[in-house]
């Protein structure tokens, strides 16, 4: 029979753990949020103002180092790198938003439905089929799927976003399913059933609020993955096409000048890393907050 | 004083970075071979005290004071991990509360026992396998030879706890600490485990520090008792002293609320508040203290029973068989369960196919309107499955279940809905049965929403109900985590009764609560059952609670009804061996004290 | 145990079949016309028809699918419409190169991450542990192609220790092979090591909180010894899962690294085939990659019961 859970020794000692986690959680969440805000701000400002026109070519000012006129230097055509970084932030965020949007909107309902079906004898096999299909989709990593899409359609931002989004679906489906299973198995859902709430009401009132945290954490992680995938694809020339500025392609183009102007690689590389770091840190902070099992686990 | 086995002086424990200590200036001592019970409820600091003695305090806690142990040089609180490691198991050992997780799941039992012998090197390498066998046999492990090769997951909780005891005593330490060693075990297993601990501790002549929240358990095992409350020691004394003449208000309250056989002038269980009028457990030895003198007590009780409760026999003819139980008076029963079985088929993918698990097998009983029926059984007895069938959350594999005029096994979903309006459940775990992200007002009004009652009326009824369970209406805007376990259980009761059901099903509603809170919730439940004229189905593993609350009882085991009848009757004359062992195993204050003194 | 493994094997085969259908559908049906894609949008209808007839593209999709699958099962991935050459030798040669790269990288990542993660967990509250955690968090944020560029700038262009690109098969010269292997493998491994370090750390921290570690300490083991004797094997279970996922990620992630270092691996072939609009080759390579990912998952699944008796006895 179940014992008295409140008399375990862990219960006695857990008092201060919660308090410490809160401190750490704040640090990680704040740094993450600040980094993301920085990139969002770059992207937003680029709509109203940039130091130069992104397509303004200046043969006299090619491959310049940092200077008051060009804080981040210039590229092989003399275009201003800071301007390009600002424009690149747009693509990075857009790919992330669209891809994560696709994955959340498709993956989360799939996971919830699979978990709900699993409760009924008639739905168990359907649930199993959904999750198997999900596992198979998992065998197509984001980058591979994006390459396939680039091969089948034209390489470009659109197919890249869709491919990265599709590849991120299984992650959300899994998180939503395990979260929903947990909620549906809880006593408060038994209580709700005993109170005659129907399945849709339970899903809205109990399941969604309780899995929202996990889905948000997953979204943060997926955002980081999509930033990486977009950069990688553009690096291969299979993502965002010229002349639209993209960090991945800037990095790729910098390769020719590594020995003469390594700064050209530094800036896009730095911003890709900052974006990924920001979303990862935010995800960690949120996870500490939402997932009690992760409590007291360090984040950085 | 100098030759004390254990000496704890001014132990104060503070979380790192916090101002307030969680353990305040605790001092205690233990003579060689002495058996001391450390009693307290959750948060009293009893486990922290034990961990300090083992040098196993979590590193985020700061401990001040001294802990010295005979044979160990210096203060344990300041010793290095290496020195502590040498001391552990050699001088002091520990058995933990949760047997399911205390053993390494990836290692064979025999290897885990052998390890503790190898670490301390007191047994020659070649003799280790033999010694492991001896140890397993000494804790009465069935088939010790093959048990050596088993993995922990292949054993029951009781067996794992035996292994833990074998490990703890392998190097004959001078002190054994047991931290709630039987709390996670079934009642019948608990009794055996306690006897075994007593026996083995005596065999190796060790001292015993026994930590528990259960007064009845401690009385049977220990010579002396230390009572802790909120990080302080409030009272120390011999078992007889503490039980007959408690000095501290809290001890008295704990004692009074632990005693389910004593009631105050209003027929209510004692709580911390009403404990002053509690007379103590002495002189009212119940029928359940089968401590060697079982037969005499039972015989004595028989007379008492037949004179006091004579009509019960007339009203209630003995059931024809254990499977067919009819309870209550002759009028049409409110609940009628006949020949119900429930089998679960474990579903395997593709290759696996297993025989079905029989969770319930040919269960029959009736419950009259207004009756209070207790359903008693240990884990795996099928209690929960039965509740799911009664509440229409699940359907039987075969047999009939009728609740009111609804036949559950063939009911339409609208009929099931109306069934659930008449039958509500209070769940076991007050921390799991309330949605953490909902406000109390939303939780309690949930059954009303399903009925389509307008918001204004809903709120009025929620308010009324919260008052009925002695909660402030300020509670409405709060979330569950802002309440204690007992308060949460009140919220749970409010939710169950807000629709004014005819039948209330309580599924172990107090087993997760501290003793002092338990009696308050039980009193509340009794009041509400009277006020609302409820039919009560009370599921519990605790015979004491059922005995206090219920007029009739069903005893279940492995999906069968072992025995049923009026509570008094079953207690006085258990017909089945299992019921007898269950009654005997249930710890009772009076019984424990009778055997201790 | 046997049923468990058989079960996984059946799931593997089913997944492989479904994946092959998906790949085929994506590449051969959805875009409409592989021959048109291969020849470009300017090709005349006659030229397209001729190409279709030559490679049997005028047959119904179902037949083409079966021909493709049967061909693959007998080791024949078909012929490229663009180069006219057999695809199988290209795949076989490049897979070997990528396998060397990826296996070396995952081994390096494990060798770095397991001690580092364990240490970070044990020294959780010290500056060392915090530093390791912080570094691994930053390491995760650095994509492998950025790591590659930084490594090239430092160790190739500045210090001149290693060549900045190129490949040599081991049979052509072990020294040349090894020296060219270093930078690509390190750039692949660093990021994965950072990720794995975090997982090892959190797995070890989880295990350290387990009751059986407390039991082991109560038996007379020090904290560290208890971790080594009882903890690490338990911590291995979640780490194996992550390492499996990482191996799969590396397989595809190597595409970019192969580009940077001009290594004739399967990723380079894939990018070249995409650039050439050589859909049959892309289809074959994607199928091989998916097959490898699924095989890795199968191996991970089979490893569980070996480590964990609970899974062994469950079925």
């Amino acid at each position: 029979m179940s014992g008295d859970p409140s008399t375990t020794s862990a219960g006695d000692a857990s008092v201060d753990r919660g308090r410490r986690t809160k401190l750490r959680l704040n640090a990680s969440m704040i740094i993450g949020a600040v980094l993301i805000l920085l990139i969002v701000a770059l992207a937003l400002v680029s709509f109203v103002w940039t130091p130069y026109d992104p397509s303004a070519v200046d043969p006299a000012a090619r491959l310049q180092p940092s200077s008051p006129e060009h804080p981040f230097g210039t590229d092989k055509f003399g275009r201003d790198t800071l301007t390009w970084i600002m424009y690149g932030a747009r693509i990075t965020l857009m790919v992330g938003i669209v891809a994560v949007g696709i994955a959340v909107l498709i993956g989360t309902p799939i996971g919830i439905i699979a978990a709900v079906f699993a409760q009924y004898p008639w739905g168990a096999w359907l649930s199993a089929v959904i999750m198997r299909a999900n596992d198979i989709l998992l065998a197509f990593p984001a980058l591979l799927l994006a390459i396939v899409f680039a091969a089948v359609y034209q390489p470009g931002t659109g197919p890249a976003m869709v491919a990265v989004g599709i590849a991120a679906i299984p992650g959300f489906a899994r998180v939503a399913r395990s979260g929903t299973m947990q909620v549906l198995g809880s006593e408060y859902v038994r209580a709700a059933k005993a109170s005659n709430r129907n399945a849709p009401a339970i899903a809205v009132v109990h399941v969604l609020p309780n899995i929202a945290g996990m889905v948000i954490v997953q979204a943060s992680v997926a955002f980081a993955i999509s930033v990486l995938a977009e950069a990688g694809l553009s690096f291969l020339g299979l993502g965002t096409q010229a002349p639209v500025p993209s960090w991945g392609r800037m990095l790729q183009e910098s390769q020719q000048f590594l020995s003469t102007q390594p700064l050209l690689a530094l800036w896009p590389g730095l911003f890709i890393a900052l974006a990924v770091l920001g979303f990862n840190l935010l995800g960690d902070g949120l996870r500490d907050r939402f997932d009690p099992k992760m409590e007291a686990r360090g984040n950085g | 004083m100098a030759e004390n086995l254990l000496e704890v002086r001014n132990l104060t424990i503070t979380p790192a970075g916090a101002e307030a200590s969680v353990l305040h200036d605790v001092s205690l001592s233990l003579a060689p071979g002495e058996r001391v019970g450390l009693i307290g409820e959750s948060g009293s600091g009893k486990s922290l005290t034990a961990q300090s003695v083992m040098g196993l305090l979590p590193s985020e806690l700061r401990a001040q004071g001294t802990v010295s142990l005979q044979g160990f040089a210096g203060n344990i609180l300041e010793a290095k991990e290496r020195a502590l490691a040498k001391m552990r198991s050699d001088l002091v050992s520990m058995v933990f509360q949760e047997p399911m997780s205390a053993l390494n799941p990836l290692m064979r039992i025999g290897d885990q026992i052998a390890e503790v012998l190898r670490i301390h090197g007191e047994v020659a390498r070649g003799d280790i396998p033999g010694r492991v066998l001896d140890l397993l046999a000494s804790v009465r492990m069935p088939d010790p030879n093959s048990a050596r090769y088993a993995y922990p997951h292949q054993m029951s909780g009781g067996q794992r706890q035996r292994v833990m005891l074998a490990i703890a005593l392998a190097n004959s330490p001078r002190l054994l600490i047991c931290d709630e060693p039987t709390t996670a075990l079934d009642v019948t297993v608990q009794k055996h485990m306690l006897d075994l601990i007593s026996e083995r501790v005596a065999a190796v002549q060790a001292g015993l520090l026994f930590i528990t929240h259960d007064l009845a358990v401690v009385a049977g095992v220990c010579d002396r008792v230390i009572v802790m409350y909120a990080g302080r020691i409030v009272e120390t004394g011999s078992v007889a002293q503490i039980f007959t003449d408690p000095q501290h208000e809290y001890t008295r309250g704990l004692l009074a609320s632990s005693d389910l056989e004593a009631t105050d002038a209003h027929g209510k269980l004692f709580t911390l508040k009403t404990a002053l009028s509690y007379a103590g457990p002495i002189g009212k030895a119940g029928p359940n203290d089968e401590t060697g003198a079982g037969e005499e007590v039972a015989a004595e009780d028989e007379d008492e029973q037949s004179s006091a409760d004579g009509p019960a026999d007339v009203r209630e003819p003995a059931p024809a068989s254990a499977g067919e139980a009819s309870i209550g008076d002759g009028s049409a029963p409110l609940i009628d369960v006949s020949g119900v079985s429930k089998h679960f088929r474990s579903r395997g993918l593709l290759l696996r196919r297993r025989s079905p698990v029989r969770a319930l097998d040919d269960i029959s009983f009736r419950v009259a309107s207004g009756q209070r029926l207790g359903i008693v059984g240990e884990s795996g007895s099928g209690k929960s499955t039965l509740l799911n069938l009664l509440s229409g959350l699940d359907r039987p594999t075969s047999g009939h279940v009728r609740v009111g005029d609804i036949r559950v096994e063939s009911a339409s979903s609208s009929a099931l809905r109306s069934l659930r309006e008449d039958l509500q459940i209070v769940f076991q775990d007050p921390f799991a049965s309330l949605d953490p992200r909902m406000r109390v007002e939303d939780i309690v009004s949930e059954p009303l929403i399903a009925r389509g009652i307008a918001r204004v009326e809903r709120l009025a009824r929620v308010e009324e109900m919260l008052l009925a369970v002695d909660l402030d209406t300020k509670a409405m805007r709060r979330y569950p985590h802002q309440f204690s376990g007992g308060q949460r259980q009140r919220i749970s009761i409010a939710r169950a009764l807000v629709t004014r059901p005819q039948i209330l099903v309580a599924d172990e509603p107090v087993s997760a609560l501290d003793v002092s809170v338990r009696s308050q919730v039980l009193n509340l439940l009794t009041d509400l059952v009277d006020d609302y004229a409820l039919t009560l189905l009370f599921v519990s593993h605790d015979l004491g609670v059922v005995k206090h609350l219920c007029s009739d009882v069903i005893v279940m085991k492995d999906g069968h009804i072992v025995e049923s009848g009026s509570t008094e009757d079953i207690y006085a004359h258990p017909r089945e061996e299992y019921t007898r062992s269950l009654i005997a195993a249930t710890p009772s204050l009076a019984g424990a004290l009778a055997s201790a003194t | 145990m046997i049923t468990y493994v058989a079960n996984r094997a059946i799931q593997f085969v089913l997944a492989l079949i479904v994946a092959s259908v998906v790949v085929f559908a994506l590449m051969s049906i959805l875009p409409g016309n592989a021959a048109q894609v291969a020849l470009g949008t300017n090709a005349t209808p006659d030229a397209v028809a001729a190409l279709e007839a030559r490679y049997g593209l005028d047959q119904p999709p179902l037949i083409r699918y079966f021909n493709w699958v049967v061909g693959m099962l007998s080791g024949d991935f078909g012929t490229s419409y663009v180069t006219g050459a057999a695809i199988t030798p290209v795949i076989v040669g490049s897979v070997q190169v990528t396998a060397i790269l990826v296996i070396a990288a995952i081994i390096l990542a494990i060798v770095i991450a397991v001690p580092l993660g364990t240490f970070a967990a044990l020294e959780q509250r010290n500056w060392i542990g915090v530093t390791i955690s912080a570094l691994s968090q930053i390491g995760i944020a650095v994509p492998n192609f950025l790591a590659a560029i930084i490594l090239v700038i430092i160790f190739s262009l500045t210090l001149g220790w290693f060549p900045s690109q190129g490949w040599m098969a081991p049979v052509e010269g072990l020294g040349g092979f090894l020296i060219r292997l270093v930078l690509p493998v390190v750039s692949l491994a660093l990021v994965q090591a950072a990720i794995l370090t975090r997982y090892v750390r959190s797995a070890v921290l989880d295990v350290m909180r387990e009751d059986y570690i407390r039991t082991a300490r109560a038996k007379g083991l020090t904290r560290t010894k208890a971790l080594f004797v009882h903890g690490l094997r338990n911590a291995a279970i979640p780490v194996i899962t992550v390492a499996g996922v990482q191996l799969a990620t590396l397989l595809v992630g190597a595409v970019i690294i192969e580009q940077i270092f001009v290594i004739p691996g399967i990723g380079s072939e894939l990018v070249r085939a995409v650039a050439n609009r050589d859909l049959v080759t892309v289809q074959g390579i994607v199928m091989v990659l998916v097959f490898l990912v699924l095989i890795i998952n199968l191996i991970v699944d089979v490893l569980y019961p070996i480590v964990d008796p609970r899974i062994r006895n469950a079925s």
Side-chain angles (χ1 to χ4, degrees), chain C residues 80-168:
Chain C
S80 162
Y81 311 152
V82 178
T83 63
I87 298 169
T88 309
V90 174
I91 289 181
V92 170
S94 59
V95 157
Q96 289 173 356
V97 171
T98 302
I100 292 173
L101 213 57
V102 163
I103 290 170
I106 195 79
I107 290 173
L108 181 60
I110 291 172
V111 166
I112 295 172
V114 170
L116 219 53
T118 309
F119 192 64
L122 281 173
E123 303 292 321
Q124 188 198 358
R125 285 164 214 286
N126 291 349
W127 65 270
I128 303 179
V130 174
T131 309
I132 294 174
S133 302
L135 284 179
S136 64
Q137 183 65 272
I138 292 168
I140 294 170
V142 176
N144 56 23
F145 46 89
L146 181 58
I149 287 176
I150 295 170
L151 289 174
V152 165
I153 292 176
I154 298 173
F155 293 102
S156 182
L157 301 179
T158 310
L159 297 172
W161 292 357
F162 304 101
S164 66
Q165 61 182 52
W167 178 258
M168 190 184 275

Side-chain angles (χ1 to χ4, degrees), chain A residues 9 20 284 297 299-300, chain C residues 125 133-134 137 198 206 214:
Chain A
S9 52
R20 301 183 121 240
D284 274 355
R297 181 179 290 181
N299 52 51
Chain C
R125 285 164 214 286
S133 302
Q137 183 65 272
R198 281 172 55 75
D206 276 351
R214 193 177 54 177

Side-chain angles (χ1 to χ4, degrees), chain B residues 32-46:
Chain B
E34 196 187 10
R35 300 168 171 210
V36 173
L38 193 54
I39 284 201
E41 298 181 290
S42 46
S44 62
K46 55 194 194 303

Side-chain angles (χ1 to χ4, degrees), chain A residues 2 6 9 190 196 206 210, chain B residues 42 51 388 417 428 435 446:
Chain A
S2 91
S6 49
S9 52
R190 267 185 81 198
N196 273 332
H206 295 287
N210 279 295
Chain B
S42 46
Q51 287 169 6
N388 280 344
R417 264 202 298 281
Q428 172 177 2
D435 188 335
E446 202 174 11

